[in-house]
Amino acid sequence: MAKTKVVNEKYHRFLGRNFPRFYAMYTLFMKGFRMLWADAKKARRIKASMWNHNMKFHQLPYRDMEHLRQFRRDVAKCLFIGIISIPPFANYLVFLLMYFFPRQLLVRHFWTPKQQADFLEMYHALQKRSHPEILTYLERSIPAVSDTTLRWHLTELCSKIELGTHPAVNDILALRKCFSSQPLGMNHLQALQLKALSRAVLLTPYLPAFLLRHRLKTHTTVIHQLDQALAKLGVGRLSDQEVKSACYLRGLNSSRVADERCRAWLGEWLQISCSLKEAELSLLLHNVVLFSTNYTGTRH
């Protein structure tokens, strides 16, 4: 073992001295595989615990829920790579594609720190493009709201956001009934609305309407369950990085916001989310846009 270790160290020094760029890629990939393998083992332990204690996903502690959610997304991306590598000699082409398209084909474990920052900005830019379209659909739905008070609240909310004002928690919660039935309930959204909302939460919009609706329902339900678990844990018990990741998942570009403001924003988000029932989750989905568009440091 000692001799093997010495040979391995010499090999690493040889690569670093003679092929520095290749060595940097090699080191990054090896580190990424170790991190992915560690995530897989942790996910397996969580699933085993769920099986042994007869627990459902929503009954897990917050950190276990978040780990499983992220690991499932990573596995889906890895499975796609595995599928396109099946044809003979296709693996050589896949390696080339991974080098030129790391954001699309690789999971976060294989990104450099600079790539992580750049890719998060790019993903948020994609989300932002859908915000004006979603707000336009909200304005168009105002005449279809039968309740006069709800119609006034929705008009005021759209006006505030267009004027660059960040809405208060009560401004959002006043519209709970409006998003539980026609015209903005989850089962009443039109196909174009579903496509815009899918882009806002980084889901593919290129699917039939019934699949888009199902995926949005599933995504929003998971976030709602995460919010309930996080409310039990308490935002104050999260690290700064965990807070930023949680804010980013919920639509806030947390890389441009100070840590204290991220915690304050996440606390307000939890007030809204934990006040909603299952039938009102369309409001939580739209809140990705409504509550992040004009927050300090992210206004666009």
Side-chain angles (χ1 to χ4, degrees):
M1 291 295 294
K3 289 182 179 179
T4 303
K5 187 177 180 180
V6 170
V7 171
N8 188 53
E9 290 175 352
K10 288 183 178 180
Y11 174 66
H12 278 257
R13 286 197 298 270
F14 170 77
L15 287 179
R17 184 173 57 253
N18 295 282
F19 306 98
R21 294 185 64 183
F22 174 78
Y23 180 68
M25 290 180 56
Y26 169 79
T27 305
L28 180 65
F29 268 82
M30 292 304 297
K31 182 180 178 182
F33 276 118
R34 286 194 293 268
M35 292 170 61
L36 188 60
W37 181 247
D39 281 356
K41 291 196 292 186
K42 183 177 179 180
R44 184 180 179 184
R45 287 196 300 269
I46 295 171
K47 295 292 287 185
S49 178
M50 291 173 63
W51 178 264
N52 293 332
H53 296 91
N54 195 25
M55 296 174 66
K56 301 295 184 181
F57 175 78
H58 68 274
Q59 297 173 312
L60 290 171
Y62 170 75
R63 288 189 173 95
D64 288 349
M65 290 176 68
E66 175 59 23
H67 184 84
L68 280 184
R69 182 201 67 82
Q70 186 60 56
F71 183 70
R72 288 169 181 170
R73 291 178 67 91
D74 293 341
V75 167
K77 215 170 189 181
C78 292
L79 284 177
F80 174 73
I81 293 295
I83 292 172
I84 63 176
S85 302
I86 291 175
F89 306 107
N91 53 329
Y92 299 107
L93 177 60
V94 168
F95 280 118
L96 190 63
L97 291 174
M98 287 192 297
Y99 178 78
F100 286 108
F101 304 101
R103 178 174 66 86
Q104 292 86 349
L105 297 178
L106 296 178
V107 295
R108 67 194 192 283
H109 304 83
F110 302 99
W111 296 343
T112 65
K114 184 179 183 305
Q115 284 178 326
Q116 290 187 25
D118 292 344
F119 293 165
L120 289 179
E121 286 289 337
M122 293 173 67
Y123 279 130
H124 190 71
L126 293 174
Q127 290 177 296
K128 285 197 301 185
R129 293 178 189 172
S130 64
H131 289 190
E133 186 178 357
I134 292 170
L135 291 174
T136 300
Y137 289 133
L138 286 178
E139 289 179 328
R140 290 177 181 174
S141 67
I142 290 174
V145 178
S146 56
D147 188 282
T148 307
T149 305
L150 289 178
R151 194 186 313 133
W152 181 83
H153 277 300
L154 185 56
T155 304
E156 284 293 300
L157 180 63
C158 292
S159 299
K160 280 186 176 181
I161 293 174
E162 288 177 349
L163 292 172
T165 303
H166 178 66
V169 172
N170 291 334
D171 294 334
I172 303 293
L173 290 178
L175 295 168
R176 291 170 58 175
K177 291 183 179 179
C178 188
F179 284 84
S180 61
S181 58
Q182 285 190 346
L184 295 171
M186 191 73 81
N187 293 325
H188 302 284
L189 297 174
Q190 301 300 314
L192 292 177
Q193 290 175 283
L194 296 172
K195 290 179 182 293
L197 288 166
S198 296
R199 288 192 292 270
V201 294
L202 298 177
L203 296 177
T204 178
Y206 307 110
L207 292 172
F210 73 95
L211 284 179
L212 292 177
R213 196 185 313 276
H214 172 73
R215 297 192 74 194
L216 286 171
K217 281 183 178 179
T218 303
H219 178 82
T220 311
T221 301
V222 169
I223 290 181
H224 192 231
Q225 293 170 347
L226 282 169
D227 290 341
Q228 292 174 328
L230 180 53
K232 292 180 182 178
L233 176 66
V235 176
R237 299 184 64 181
L238 297 184
S239 67
D240 291 340
Q241 184 56 47
E242 286 176 320
V243 170
K244 285 186 174 291
S245 297
C247 290
Y248 193 90
L249 173 65
R250 291 155 179 81
L252 183 72
N253 188 8
S254 52
S255 62
R256 301 190 174 204
V257 183
D259 296 339
E260 296 78 11
R261 289 190 175 276
C262 283
R263 289 183 184 275
W265 185 91
L266 186 57
E268 292 182 348
W269 172 283
L270 292 180
Q271 289 182 45
I272 296 171
S273 180
C274 294
S275 301
L276 300 179
K277 300 176 182 177
E278 184 178 351
E280 301 165 341
L281 290 186
S282 177
L283 177 56
L284 188 65
L285 178 59
H286 283 82
N287 205 40
V288 171
V289 177
L290 300 174
F291 213 59
S292 65
T293 301
N294 293 321
Y295 193 64
T296 304
T298 62
R299 178 178 171 183
H300 55 265

